[in-house]
Amino acid sequence: MQKYSSTVVLPSCAVNMALLGKLEDYILKTRAEVIQNSGAKTAYELFEVDVADSAGVHTVSRVAEYGFDTFPDDVSVIRMECQWSASSRSLSINIRFENDNADVRIKYEGDGSREFVHGRCAEIREIIDRFKNLNRLYHPSRVIDGLLDLLSSLLLAAGVVLLIGRFSVSFGVPALSSALAIYTYNFIGRLKPYSAFDTVKNHRNEQVSTWFILGFFAFLLWGVLGRFVTKTFLGF
């Protein structure tokens, strides 16, 4: 019998009870179809949802059993797991949402396992797409993140040095502005987790980040216009 497994990175999204409910319905429907098509007697089956925070892990067998409309402010991981096995067939679906990533891992033993796994991963991705956001833009790879940290430090040091010298306006200010832009980008990334869990804290941070972004662009615009006005009309 064929075996195949695959792990797919999921897009950043809003993780709320509505999303978990749709994923639960899809997963249980998929398991039921596998059981029906196999004609085999079930040897083992499991479905559970874990919500992990600083106090521990809350595990339920159905989303509706969680008992709350939102999640704790310190929630760190939400995981959905489905297991089923019979004499010669098995299915495993594991969906995991974390503050800085999200993925789905599916393993299937049965006929056409490769096509089955890829098809189910794509369908789960379609469900996630209805809840996706742009938070992934603030969570680059570790390599890019490291390069941005290095670049911001170099720009900051260069800006300070240039401000002391004769090229303060021409080069010092742009260097410092670029460093500030990178620091702002990193700060907003802390306010916008990859998996935006439905918490009071995240809703508040979303408002703060929106105002922070608007304020930053207003600052840059004022700097550009101010420089243009002083140079054009005041001559310096």
Side-chain angles (χ1 to χ4, degrees):
M1 191 66 66
Q2 302 177 27
K3 287 184 180 180
Y4 190 79
S5 65
S6 179
T7 301
V8 176
V9 175
L10 298 172
S12 61
C13 65
V15 182
N16 50 37
M17 298 302 290
L19 171 61
L20 298 185
K22 290 184 178 298
L23 290 173
E24 177 185 72
D25 291 343
Y26 175 80
I27 291 172
L28 295 179
K29 178 182 177 182
T30 299
R31 185 177 69 179
E33 291 175 352
V34 170
I35 295 174
Q36 181 179 3
N37 294 334
S38 69
K41 184 178 180 180
T42 297
Y44 175 77
E45 65 179 1
L46 168 75
F47 179 82
E48 62 182 22
V49 181
D50 293 335
V51 179
D53 56 34
S54 59
V57 180
H58 188 167
T59 301
V60 295
S61 59
R62 291 292 185 274
V63 172
E65 295 177 3
Y66 180 65
F68 302 96
D69 294 330
T70 60
F71 306 110
D73 282 343
D74 58 349
V75 61
S76 57
V77 179
I78 294 180
R79 182 180 65 91
M80 306 186 76
E81 181 180 8
C82 175
Q83 301 283 346
W84 175 82
S85 63
S87 57
S88 59
R89 297 174 185 270
S90 65
L91 170 68
S92 172
I93 301 177
N94 195 309
I95 302 176
R96 188 178 181 90
F97 298 102
E98 298 185 28
N99 284 319
D100 56 357
N101 61 72
D103 61 52
V104 55
R105 176 177 175 81
I106 300 180
K107 181 178 180 181
Y108 179 63
E109 179 182 6
D111 296 333
S113 58
R114 182 184 181 91
E115 293 76 13
F116 177 91
V117 170
H118 285 307
R120 298 310 182 275
C121 285
E123 290 172 354
I124 288 176
R125 172 64 186 264
E126 289 179 2
I127 295 174
I128 299 292
D129 281 346
R130 303 173 195 172
F131 297 83
K132 69 179 180 180
N133 53 36
L134 297 178
N135 289 10
R136 66 185 182 280
L137 299 178
Y138 300 97
H139 295 270
S141 66
R142 292 183 178 180
V143 174
I144 295 178
D145 194 38
L147 291 175
L148 287 175
D149 288 341
L150 176 61
L151 180 60
S152 62
S153 299
L154 293 175
L155 287 170
L156 179 61
V160 172
V161 172
L162 291 170
L163 280 178
I164 301 175
R166 57 183 295 188
F167 303 107
S168 59
V169 175
S170 300
F171 298 100
V173 172
L176 289 176
S177 297
S178 299
L180 177 61
I182 296 176
Y183 288 132
T184 301
Y185 171 81
N186 289 334
F187 175 74
I188 294 174
R190 295 188 179 94
L191 298 178
K192 289 178 171 289
Y194 190 92
S195 299
F197 299 118
D198 187 7
T199 68
V200 173
K201 177 182 176 181
N202 282 339
H203 288 305
R204 182 175 62 249
N205 286 347
E206 183 67 26
Q207 294 177 343
V208 171
S209 64
T210 299
W211 284 108
F212 202 89
I213 293 172
L214 293 175
F216 176 74
F217 280 109
F219 170 78
L220 290 182
L221 181 61
W222 175 256
V224 173
L225 290 178
R227 174 59 182 161
F228 174 77
V229 170
T230 55
K231 186 174 183 180
T232 302
F233 299 100
L234 301 179
F236 60 87

